Amino acid sequence: LQCWEVRKHNSSEWCHFIRSNPDCRLEGGFLDYLEGVFCVFPPRLLPLAVTLYALWLLYLFIILGVTAEKFFCPNLSAISTNLKLSHNVAVFSLTTPLHGVTFLAFGNGAPDVFSAVVAFSDPRTAGLAIGAVFGAGVFVTTVVAGGIALVKPFVAASRPFLRDVIFYMVAVFLTFMVLYFGRITLGEALGECHEGLGLWGWWEEPGGAVAPPHSPIPGYLALYVFYVFAVVLCTWIHRRQRAEGLTPPPSWEPEVPTDAEERESSGTNSADYGEEFRPLLPSRDTSLRILATALSPLDHRKWRRKPWYWRLFKVFRVPVELVLLLTVPVVDPDRDDLNWKRPLNCLHILTSPLVCILTLKSGAYGLYQIQGVFPVWALVTLVGAVLAIIIFLTTSNEEPPKYHCVFAFLGFLASAMWINAAATELVNILRTLGIIFQLSNTVLGLTLLAWGNSIGDTFSDLTMARQGYPRMAFSACFGGIIFNILVGVGLGCLLQMTSSQLVVKLEPDSLLVWILAGALGLSLVFSFVSVPAQCFQLGKAYGICLILYYLAFLCVALLTEFRVIHLSTV
């Protein structure tokens, strides 16, 4: 029996059904949400349990957003600086460097990618990943892109737009074919060719049966590598043309200066601002004071300036930020001291490895006992404490050590594990809500999961448009989600494969999957045709059409989910 059939039984049998049915076992995670709602809460308190789960779901989105924004992305930026990769604030614009399509894309798309990877790890929740990847694509390319055109009409960058839309349409077509054939192989995830096959070859299986062909040969990860190469090549050609005077710089949108450029243009530096308030006698903060200041997630001056709703949201963020400050180091290359906090960074030597082993496989590795006696977490604690003491005794509060860049890699790993843990809980609670309300994973993915993962991009892109950079925000709508679909699906299926099984089945469970894929493809074709037809001058009419398109798609998707729209069977 499938787990969603639990609501068809008498309420007195719910708990026994959940505990005895293998399909009701949640993969990974620290909490068993199904047993909680059907065994811990009595049936009459089911609405209360659903309300608590919904609030916890919203808080999980906050955890994902805070971790990616405050800890994951800054450490990725520090790593790219140490690797000598170029920086540019304009993501996926005409001057996009390699940093923008690799490290920055990974940072911005971390919640989406981790959610997809976690969902693909269990065949029962693969529909969540498909729904989220396609649902977020439809949402961003219609609602967000249309909102940008409504907020501030602009002239789109022609070549980056055409390049990104073409690559995105190829990625959607690749996923459509994978769903059509019902499986994806190792070669298709990586980008290898099937031996002896053409692009649409058929092969003969043992016993003389003819099997359908594989999906298209270009793999997900190989296609993204090719996309990165195309972006770098286009950037190089454009810069060379500008250097030779063949291409004038665009006049409709200024470049965004970096912090260093702003300080140079104003003739001041960060040291000048504190000169007036510097004490006459030099003093050094104690380690205890440095630790207390570093662990404070509140800026009192900023708190007084902000409106009430910002303060309310900050109250919910403070516990998350405090835990992350305790467990995740952050390296800031733009600061003179690189954000070196000796007492806190020494504490990170102890807490970050503990977070990694206690969140990996829901703590299974951390709780494992060596020789049945000594737990792994105790060994990691012992080694981390020794290293922390050594670093504390051999460094000073004023100057970071030469190996401080190692903390960026440690912070990247710890924040990635936090995101993975939150994404696991997110997928499990969405599956639980789907079982309670008897909804498919696909509709939950294209609505709740897609909206939750896209809310950060929505606010950042619309804010960027209001500040006078709509072209940059519009480019991010199409360029950013290419990473999510190619790496999210490709890496998710790749990690699900084992040495004995190199094929992952991705069979669509309903008509809704095809409607979702068709809606995304149709929206891309609409933009691909209409934007050049308007000479890349996008206004409110284009934005209204996109938003109306998304509302129509959402109505059709919900009507299909509730069987109002269905295929007639003969």
Side-chain angles (χ1 to χ4, degrees):
L1 295 177
Q2 294 184 352
C3 192
W4 62 269
E5 298 181 20
V6 63
R7 295 293 302 276
K8 295 182 178 180
H9 291 72
N10 192 288
S11 59
S12 60
E13 301 175 355
W14 286 355
C15 185
H16 175 73
F17 183 92
I18 292 295
R19 290 176 175 175
S20 60
N21 194 341
D23 189 56
C24 296
R25 296 174 184 171
L26 299 177
E27 295 293 332
F30 294 94
L31 299 176
D32 192 336
Y33 298 101
L34 284 173
E35 185 168 346
V37 72
F38 289 111
C39 297
V40 176
F41 285 89
R44 65 178 183 277
L45 294 182
L46 182 62
L48 175 62
V50 172
T51 303
L52 294 177
Y53 280 13
L55 294 176
W56 175 232
L57 178 67
L58 294 177
Y59 204 69
L60 285 173
F61 281 121
I62 294 178
I63 294 175
L64 285 173
V66 171
T67 308
E69 176 189 0
K70 298 291 186 180
F71 298 87
F72 192 78
C73 289
N75 281 313
L76 277 178
S77 179
I79 292 174
S80 66
T81 299
N82 290 317
L83 296 178
K84 309 299 181 184
L85 294 177
S86 57
H87 281 261
N88 195 301
V89 179
V91 185
F92 299 108
S93 66
L94 284 170
T95 55
T96 302
L98 179 63
H99 169 78
V101 292
T102 53
F103 285 92
L104 195 54
F106 188 27
N108 293 337
D112 307 78
V113 172
F114 277 97
S115 299
V117 169
V118 171
F120 274 122
S121 64
D122 186 354
R124 297 171 300 177
T125 57
L128 272 175
I130 296 297
V133 168
F134 278 141
V138 178
F139 181 81
V140 172
T141 57
T142 56
V143 175
V144 181
I148 293 171
L150 287 174
V151 169
K152 193 168 184 70
F154 64 101
V155 178
S158 58
R159 286 180 294 181
F161 168 77
L162 294 176
R163 175 199 66 210
D164 293 340
V165 171
I166 290 174
F167 269 97
Y168 198 23
M169 286 193 294
V170 172
V172 172
F173 178 74
L174 174 60
T175 309
F176 182 88
M177 297 309 300
V178 166
L179 293 173
Y180 178 77
F181 294 121
R183 60 179 176 179
I184 179 173
T185 65
L186 176 64
E188 291 154 3
L190 292 176
E192 300 173 358
C193 294
H194 192 279
E195 184 176 355
L197 288 180
L199 184 61
W200 302 107
W202 292 68
W203 72 92
E204 185 174 341
E205 291 187 338
V210 178
H214 281 306
S215 52
I217 295 302
Y220 284 90
L221 301 181
L223 182 60
Y224 187 73
V225 172
F226 183 58
Y227 170 70
V228 173
F229 173 77
V231 171
V232 174
L233 180 63
C234 293
T235 301
W236 180 79
I237 294 175
H238 178 74
R239 287 177 175 174
R240 186 172 181 178
Q241 289 178 345
R242 289 186 61 178
E244 295 175 355
L246 300 177
T247 304
S251 58
W252 55 83
E253 184 172 324
E255 291 290 337
V256 180
T258 62
D259 293 339
E261 293 172 347
E262 288 179 349
R263 289 194 295 265
E264 292 175 1
S265 62
S266 61
T268 60
N269 53 58
S270 57
D272 296 335
Y273 294 108
E275 190 72 32
E276 181 180 354
F277 304 99
R278 186 171 300 171
L280 297 177
L281 297 177
S283 61
R284 295 182 178 180
D285 291 335
T286 62
S287 297
L288 186 60
R289 182 179 179 83
I290 293 176
L291 179 62
T293 304
L295 286 177
S296 176
L298 287 176
D299 185 345
H300 298 287
R301 291 174 296 181
K302 189 176 182 180
W303 175 270
R304 289 193 295 266
R305 296 196 309 266
K306 293 296 182 178
W308 66 269
Y309 53 85
W310 184 94
R311 298 182 186 182
L312 180 62
F313 185 62
K314 185 67 175 179
V315 170
F316 291 103
R317 289 172 50 129
V318 163
V320 180
E321 293 180 358
L322 183 59
V323 172
L324 292 172
L325 285 172
L326 281 168
T327 55
V328 182
V330 177
V331 177
D332 189 356
D334 296 330
R335 299 183 59 173
D336 295 335
D337 62 351
L338 304 178
N339 199 36
W340 166 250
K341 311 294 181 184
R342 185 178 68 149
L344 182 58
N345 290 140
C346 291
L347 182 62
H348 288 149
I349 296 295
L350 176 64
T351 58
S352 293
L354 278 176
V355 166
C356 293
I357 64 167
L358 291 178
T359 55
L360 185 63
K361 291 293 182 180
S362 304
Y365 294 133
L367 299 177
Y368 176 77
Q369 293 187 347
I370 304 173
Q371 299 294 329
V373 178
F374 201 69
V376 173
W377 67 264
L379 177 62
V380 172
T381 302
L382 183 61
V383 175
V386 173
L387 291 176
I389 293 173
I390 294 174
I391 293 175
F392 187 83
L393 296 177
T394 56
T395 57
S396 64
N397 292 332
E398 290 75 22
E399 185 177 355
K402 296 180 179 179
Y403 51 83
H404 186 227
C405 61
V406 177
F407 284 87
F409 292 90
L410 181 61
F412 161 76
L413 182 60
S415 57
M417 296 307 300
W418 273 120
I419 292 177
N420 182 70
T424 302
E425 301 298 321
L426 187 68
V427 169
N428 285 342
I429 199 171
L430 283 175
R431 181 168 183 259
T432 302
L433 292 176
I435 291 172
I436 294 173
F437 294 106
Q438 298 184 2
L439 298 174
S440 67
N441 288 327
T442 304
V443 75
L444 290 172
L446 73 91
T447 53
L448 295 180
L449 189 55
W451 294 338
N453 287 337
S454 303
I455 194 68
D457 295 334
T458 302
F459 283 113
S460 61
D461 290 342
L462 293 180
T463 300
M464 196 182 302
R466 283 196 298 267
Q467 291 176 349
Y469 304 99
R471 192 165 60 94
M472 186 190 309
F474 186 75
S475 298
C477 290
F478 292 91
I481 52 180
I482 294 178
F483 178 88
N484 298 345
I485 186 171
L486 291 178
V487 179
V489 177
L491 187 60
C493 294
L494 182 64
L495 294 179
Q496 190 181 345
M497 297 176 185
T498 61
S499 57
S500 60
Q501 184 178 359
L502 299 180
V503 177
V504 176
K505 293 184 178 181
L506 290 178
E507 299 177 355
D509 54 358
S510 65
L511 175 64
L512 182 59
V513 176
W514 301 114
I515 293 177
L516 186 55
L520 178 56
L522 187 60
S523 70
L524 293 175
V525 171
F526 172 76
S527 294
F528 182 72
V529 173
S530 63
V531 172
Q534 302 174 74
C535 298
F536 298 93
Q537 298 180 1
L538 306 181
K540 295 184 177 181
Y542 173 74
I544 293 174
C545 288
L546 289 180
I547 294 176
L548 291 177
Y549 176 85
Y550 182 79
L551 294 176
F553 151 74
L554 194 60
C555 290
V556 173
L558 293 177
L559 291 175
T560 304
E561 173 66 19
F562 294 112
R563 304 293 189 271
V564 177
I565 298 177
H566 57 86
L567 292 176
S568 59
T569 57
V570 180

